[in-house]
Structures are given as C-alpha cells and as structure tokens.
Amino acid sequence: MKFNLSAINSTNIKKGISYIRENGLDGIASRVRYKMQGPGLAYNGWYRDNHMPSEEELINQRNTGFDYRPLISILVPIYETPERYLRDMIESVINQTYDNWQLVMVDGSKRDQGIPRTETIIREYMTEDRKIVYAPLEKNMGIAINTNMAFNLSTGEYITLLDHDDLLTRDALYSVVNALQEEKYDVLYSDEDKISEDGTKVSDPAFKPDFSIDLLRAHNYITHLFVVSRKLLLEVGGFDSEYDGAQDYDVALKCSEKTKSIKHIPRVLYHWRINDKSVALNPHKKEYAKEAGKRALQAHIDRCGCFATVTHTEMWSMYKVSYDTPGNPPLSIVISGGKNRDIIERCIGPLFEKTRYSDFELIIVNPYSDDNVMQKFYARLESTRKNIRVVEYGGEPNPTSMKNFGASKAKGDYILFLDYGVEKLEVTAVKEMLGHCMRKDVGVVGGAIFDDRGITISQGMAVGINGPFSHLYKGVKKGDFGYLMHNRVNANYSAVSGACMMVKRSLLKGLGGFSEKFKTELADVDFCLRIREHGYLVVGVADATWHLCSEADNKSEDYDTYFKRETGLFEILWSNIINNGDPYYNPNFTRNGECHDIK
C-alpha cells in the first residue's frame, strides 16, 4: 500500500486510519524514516508481499536435493533470555527448510537460585530434536568466551551466529546452502531487518552492498546473517574477549584479511529483535561496544600494514579511518579553465591557503588561447605562485580530452582532477583523498560535491540505475542521513565523479587515460569501471567535501546530444554490469526511480 504522508487531507483520513490499524504507529514512523532515507513503501507490507517465501516455495525448498549439503552449526550464547524470545529463536531454527543444521547453545544464565528457566526450556526442545546441543555454564564468561565454548562443541563445516532473542527467516539456511552450490565461499552474509517485540511486524531493512572493505572499515555493516567456514574461523583464532561487544566485528575484519571469497546474499534472512534492552532500539545501551569496535578496527588497520588512524564519528559505532601519506609524494592538480575569473580565483585560493597538503603543482588547462584578456589573467596567476602552470589547449574543448591533455603535462605521482568551479571546503580534503589513493588496493578516489545550498551533487555512482548511471545521494542535504547513513562514511562504489577525482598517474597512463570516445560524464564512469576490471577499488571519501559554484557551467550546449549518442556505446561496453546489477547497489532497490527506493 502506498500512502503519501505529504498529502494528508480529508480524502486521505480514512486511508490514514486504515494504515495505522494495519501498521501501527511504529509503521508510521517507519514510513516517515523510509520516505526520508530512501524506500517509499511501508516495509512491513512490502516484505510480506514481495520477500516472504510462500508456502509453496517453502515446500519446494524442503524438497530440494542439493549436491553439496554441509552441516551448519548455529552458535547461540544464552543469558537470562525471556521465555518467549528463547522459544521463538529456537523454533526459527527448527522450522528451517534446510535440515542439515546443528543448534549449539551455551547458557551463562545465573544459577544461584537453582536451575534457570532457560535450561528447562532448552531441554524440553532437546527431547524432540537431537540436533540441539546444550551446555550450562557455571559462570558467565562474556560473549566472546561463551561463543568460543559453543564453537568448540560444534561440528559443522560452516558456522553462523544467532543472538539469543533474534530470529532466522525460514529460508535462511536454504539460501546459504543454495549459494554454496556455485562456490564453497569462506564467508557469506545476508541482508537483515528488525522485528517488533511481539514478533508481528518487521521494519528498518538493511539492504547491503556486495563486499565493501571501506564500508566495513566504517562500521560492521555485515552483522547478520554472518556465515563463516570452520576452517577460516579457526585460522583467525575464533572470538577475542578483548573486543567483547564488538567480537563479531573483530572476526569479520580478520576474515576479510584472510580471504576474498566473500558472498553477499541480497535477501533478508535475519530478524533483529527490538525490545527495551536491545541495541536495535537503543544502541547507546552498549557504549562499551563502540570503543571495542574502534580498537578492533585499529588492530585490523595495523595488521594490514596501513599507516592510518581510527576515530569515532558522530554516528554511533561508525568510524573514520584517516590514512597517512608517507613520504608526501608529489601531487598534480589538474583544473580545466573557464572564463569567469572570479570563480577561478575563488577555487584556486583554498588550495593554497586552506590545505594541509602542500607538495603539489596546479595545472590549469586553458582552452582560450585566442582570448587576450584570459591570457593576461592566466599569466598573472602563474607569476603569483611558482607551482601554478597554465598549459595552452588548442583542441576541441571537451572535458575528456582536456583532462587527458592536462594529465600529459603532470609531474606528480598522483593526479587530482577538478572541474572548473569546484572549490575545497575542508582543509584536509586533499590529504584525505591522497591517503586513500596511496593504498595498493585503490585506483580511484572521489570526494563529496555539494551545491551552493549544501545539497549533494555527487558522492558515488551506481551503474545501470535510471539509465547508464546515477549519482547515489544526489539531493541529500549536507549533514543529513542518506540510506543507512552510508553517505556519511567512506565506502566503495563502481564509479565516482570526474568533477573531483584522484587517480594514480601510473594507472592512468597504463589505461591510456580517459576514453575520448566519450565527451560526457560517461568517460568518468567508463574509466572507473576499467580501473575496477584491473582489480583496483574505487573509494568515495565522505569527509573530503567540495563545493561546485552555481555560476560555473561545465556542460556544453551539445552535452545532452552527446550523452544520448554515447549511451548506446556505454551500454554495449558495460552490458555485463548493467545486466547483472551494480555490486554496490542492492538488487532489492529500484533501478528506475529514486535511488534506494524499494522495488
């Protein structure tokens, strides 16, 4: 049911009353959140109508004969679990359509008053199902040690984690094993949502991208459902009590260091219970977990040999990784010149006056060599600073060829391309981008670009959305939360805007620069996709913020004509990603409409 909250009037009152009866006030809150953050449908109804397996599908799953049928051990540390939650959790496992599972529960509930109620309930289920393993503990040793005890009791080839008050969807294990038919992945993870305390409504889905190391270094976006091979979990040493509260984040980070065999299943397979003691409702109930997560992330960064510092952000349990720039390598900043001298001076000034990185040259590509006024202006600029060079461009003035021409004159090991009219907002923007670009696994880095009103113009692109590509957070106000706050942290994308793009000069040269078959933004996207084809990451740096002057017009009168003409070629060259879907854009989102709206 679609319900437009912005158009409540006498005609819609009856619809509103019906909506509240169906979804409750929580449903209204969810509807408002998702109108603001992305999906425009009430999620509970969408899940029921589009995502929940039908009885026929569940029967077919039960009857599926997989060639590979691994035992999956589900580890659950129990502690003072309310009876309803405990029963719901156990029954969510018993009702799985894939039956080769093992449920291992270790119980740290208090025993000073005799046998705890949790043990009585669990033993009741054990009489009915021998696949349940139970171990009462004399003392609660903490979440990590208790989980390790469960792991030691398990025998499964794969291990998954389930909190004592949460639920698996009935098709959870089936979906995991179905994915394992294509490859025996080391790690698998799924989408998730939250379920109401009474278990009747779901909300707040976390529709995740495929594996993104930079997003993982911002927060534990993997969380649930998390499945890992027994071999890999042993290799990383299990769960470390030093990081209690973030022990699963620590393990996910360690696993990412050991394997690239990581599979994302774009289905909600896990319901995270909302209750008055739950982090799902109020994350601040576990402040210690935030600090543990920071320490786990810093340890991961150090193990990876990165020179970087982890700090907290204003978002709970989200972190910022600032990479150092060892040796401070030379950087070339290439700007395509324009005719508005005020804009040019306004954009150049902060590069010199408000920056924490000074080893750079500024190359201005001048396409107006026949304009005496501009010639004198550029000559004056060159005379003011020794590291400004103006290069005369005599070809057709299009952004792609001008970038390539400017890059051919660059001396730096790294090149930052800036469109005419783009000015730096943060003093650390250049250094933040360079720190990422110096990583061995990164080929391209983009900043976040805003207009005069502080509205996002570009911060990461998705391919095959609303045509050949779409700017994911376009229209989101600076400081606001986009979908799952991912616009506020560093993340990987398929492409970033060439209006503010940093690249390794060696890679740019090796790939022959930007393809001059494209005279529009498609050249930027094409270049990023070629970089990714060669195994390098594209990173969007959230705190590297830039401003595009409204007076600057970087598009020619023929831009739309060129774009339509070039779209066909782009779609042929990149049909694979267009047809199969952008790995950093969840397939549950629409491909035609507002980004992050549910289909």
Side-chain angles (χ1 to χ4, degrees):
M1 172 186 178
K2 290 189 177 182
F3 182 62
N4 185 358
L5 292 176
S6 65
I8 295 179
N9 51 39
S10 58
T11 305
N12 284 328
I13 288 176
K14 289 184 179 180
K15 289 183 180 180
I17 293 172
S18 174
Y19 182 89
I20 293 171
R21 283 174 178 167
E22 179 183 354
N23 297 277
L25 292 175
D26 286 344
I28 286 286
S30 176
R31 178 69 175 88
V32 172
R33 276 196 301 275
Y34 279 92
K35 189 61 181 175
M36 292 170 62
Q37 295 184 352
L41 288 175
Y43 171 70
N44 187 67
W46 178 89
Y47 177 83
R48 181 187 61 239
D49 296 339
N50 299 279
H51 210 69
M52 182 182 293
S54 66
E55 287 302 320
E56 182 180 358
E57 289 174 317
L58 294 172
I59 291 171
N60 290 336
Q61 290 177 12
R62 291 186 186 280
N63 293 331
T64 299
F66 288 122
D67 293 332
Y68 177 53
R69 287 178 46 82
L71 175 64
I72 300 180
S73 294
I74 304 159
L75 312 185
V76 186
I78 302 294
Y79 183 76
E80 305 291 335
T81 314
E83 179 170 350
R84 175 170 183 174
Y85 299 167
L86 181 58
R87 290 188 182 277
D88 285 352
M89 179 274 292
I90 294 172
E91 289 172 15
S92 80
V93 176
I94 292 174
N95 291 327
Q96 289 296 299
T97 57
Y98 178 76
D99 61 1
N100 195 21
W101 52 262
Q102 177 190 49
L103 176 59
V104 184
M105 292 176 278
V106 294
D107 191 353
S109 299
K110 298 174 184 176
R111 312 185 72 82
D112 51 353
Q113 302 294 323
I115 296 175
R117 177 63 176 158
T118 50
E119 179 171 343
T120 303
I121 295 168
I122 293 170
R123 292 199 182 279
E124 173 190 325
Y125 282 98
M126 291 177 70
T127 61
E128 301 293 328
D129 202 317
R130 295 184 178 180
K131 292 185 288 188
I132 297 176
V133 178
Y134 174 72
L137 305 176
E138 290 300 321
K139 182 181 179 182
N140 179 28
M141 302 298 292
I143 185 70
I145 292 177
N146 291 1
T147 305
N148 284 335
M149 289 180 175
F151 178 46
N152 292 337
L153 292 170
S154 70
T155 56
E157 188 175 348
Y158 281 88
I159 305 298
T160 190
L161 308 174
L162 177 58
D163 286 354
H164 66 162
D165 52 358
D166 294 343
L167 305 173
L168 298 180
T169 65
R170 294 175 71 182
D171 61 336
L173 299 186
Y174 170 88
S175 298
V176 169
V177 176
N178 188 51
L180 288 170
Q181 303 308 302
E182 61 187 44
E183 181 181 327
K184 294 181 181 178
Y185 297 102
D186 290 327
V187 173
L188 305 94
Y189 67 95
S190 76
D191 298 340
E192 63 187 287
D193 63 19
K194 296 183 178 70
I195 193 164
S196 59
E197 188 168 4
D198 63 5
T200 61
K201 294 183 178 66
V202 290
S203 63
D204 294 351
F207 289 128
K208 308 167 187 177
D210 286 355
F211 184 67
S212 170
I213 185 60
D214 284 280
L215 187 57
L216 185 62
R217 287 174 178 172
H219 77 119
N220 185 14
Y221 81 93
I222 288 177
T223 320
H224 298 296
L225 181 70
F226 174 73
V227 182
V228 59
S229 70
R230 184 178 203 85
K231 179 181 178 183
L232 182 57
L233 188 54
L234 285 169
E235 187 177 349
V236 302
F239 300 88
D240 192 336
S241 60
E242 181 181 350
Y243 306 111
D244 261 355
Q247 72 290 333
D248 52 348
Y249 187 30
D250 174 60
V251 164
L253 290 165
K254 287 175 177 174
C255 287
S256 74
E257 299 163 24
K258 300 290 185 180
T259 185
K260 293 184 178 180
S261 179
I262 302 175
K263 171 70 173 180
H264 167 226
I265 302 171
R267 282 190 63 80
V268 171
L269 304 180
Y270 193 101
H271 299 309
W272 194 7
R273 175 90 67 172
I274 298 173
N275 62 71
D276 60 357
K277 296 181 180 180
S278 172
V279 178
L281 186 64
N282 182 4
H284 298 288
K285 288 182 179 292
K286 288 190 176 181
E287 285 292 333
Y288 68 92
K290 181 174 69 172
E291 189 59 37
K294 178 188 173 185
R295 289 188 284 105
L297 178 54
Q298 186 66 64
H300 158 76
I301 291 293
D302 294 343
R303 287 192 301 270
C304 290
C306 299
F307 298 97
T309 303
V310 177
T311 55
H312 292 292
T313 68
E314 63 183 13
M315 290 83 71
W316 193 90
S317 267
M318 286 193 163
Y319 309 100
K320 176 183 175 181
V321 180
S322 296
Y323 293 84
D324 295 339
T325 55
N328 293 326
L331 170 71
S332 296
I333 301 176
V334 175
I335 298 178
S336 299
K339 278 200 170 185
N340 188 317
R341 288 166 288 174
D342 290 339
I343 290 178
I344 294 171
E345 289 185 321
R346 174 179 166 184
C347 295
I348 288 175
L351 293 173
F352 294 95
E353 299 158 9
K354 298 178 181 180
T355 187
R356 292 186 182 174
Y357 197 84
S358 57
D359 190 2
F360 69 88
E361 63 171 351
L362 178 61
I363 299 172
I364 302 174
V365 180
N366 177 24
Y368 307 110
S369 57
D370 57 348
D371 188 318
N372 291 332
V373 174
M374 293 305 297
Q375 286 288 77
K376 291 179 181 179
F377 169 73
Y378 283 127
R380 180 175 63 79
L381 280 182
E382 281 187 299
S383 68
T384 59
R385 297 184 186 274
K386 63 180 181 180
N387 53 341
I388 293 182
R389 283 195 292 142
V390 179
V391 294
E392 305 298 331
Y393 174 79
E396 179 188 358
N398 72 74
T400 307
S401 56
M402 290 170 68
K403 283 177 183 174
N404 285 335
F405 181 74
S408 71
K409 305 298 182 181
K411 299 176 182 178
D413 296 335
Y414 301 86
I415 301 176
L416 171 61
F417 294 100
L418 294 176
D419 273 4
Y420 162 66
V422 174
E423 71 174 302
K424 184 166 61 68
L425 292 179
E426 297 290 338
V427 296
T428 59
V430 173
K431 190 174 188 298
E432 290 278 358
M433 292 177 70
L434 181 60
H436 282 275
C437 206
M438 289 178 68
R439 290 163 45 190
K440 293 181 180 179
D441 57 343
V442 173
V444 172
V445 176
I449 309 171
F450 302 90
D451 67 14
D452 292 336
R453 301 166 299 161
I455 304 297
T456 305
I457 295 174
S458 184
Q459 187 182 349
M461 298 172 169
V463 176
I465 311 301
N466 294 318
F469 69 88
S470 187
H471 297 274
L472 281 174
Y473 300 104
K474 188 173 183 177
V476 176
K477 190 173 182 180
K478 189 175 187 291
D480 282 356
F481 300 139
Y483 186 70
L484 299 178
M485 298 183 285
H486 287 175
N487 63 312
R488 300 289 298 275
V489 295
N490 301 335
N492 300 113
Y493 299 100
S494 285
V496 292
S497 173
C500 179
M501 175 191 289
M502 187 180 291
V503 302
K504 287 181 168 72
R505 185 164 69 113
S506 59
L507 286 179
L508 183 73
K509 184 177 180 180
L511 291 177
F514 295 89
S515 173
E516 298 195 16
K517 294 177 182 178
F518 302 106
K519 299 179 181 180
T520 65
E521 288 177 285
L522 290 168
D524 306 331
V525 183
D526 170 79
F527 179 74
C528 289
L529 293 178
R530 286 190 285 137
I531 283 284
R532 290 189 58 242
E533 268 194 333
H534 283 72
Y536 293 92
L537 295 172
V538 175
V539 181
V541 183
D543 284 339
T545 56
W546 302 74
H547 165 243
L548 176 61
C549 302
S550 60
E551 300 94 332
D553 186 3
N554 291 299
K555 293 183 178 180
S556 68
E557 294 179 358
D558 299 323
Y559 181 90
D560 291 339
T561 301
Y562 285 132
F563 189 85
K564 290 178 182 178
R565 185 185 305 163
E566 294 168 4
T567 294
L569 174 61
F570 180 89
E571 290 176 344
I572 291 171
L573 291 175
W574 300 108
S575 60
N576 184 52
I577 187 171
I578 290 173
N579 294 334
N580 294 328
D582 189 309
Y584 299 113
Y585 187 78
N586 192 289
N588 289 297
F589 294 135
T590 182
R591 296 182 63 169
N592 295 289
E594 188 176 343
C595 290
H596 302 115
D597 265 10
I598 300 176
K599 281 182 178 178

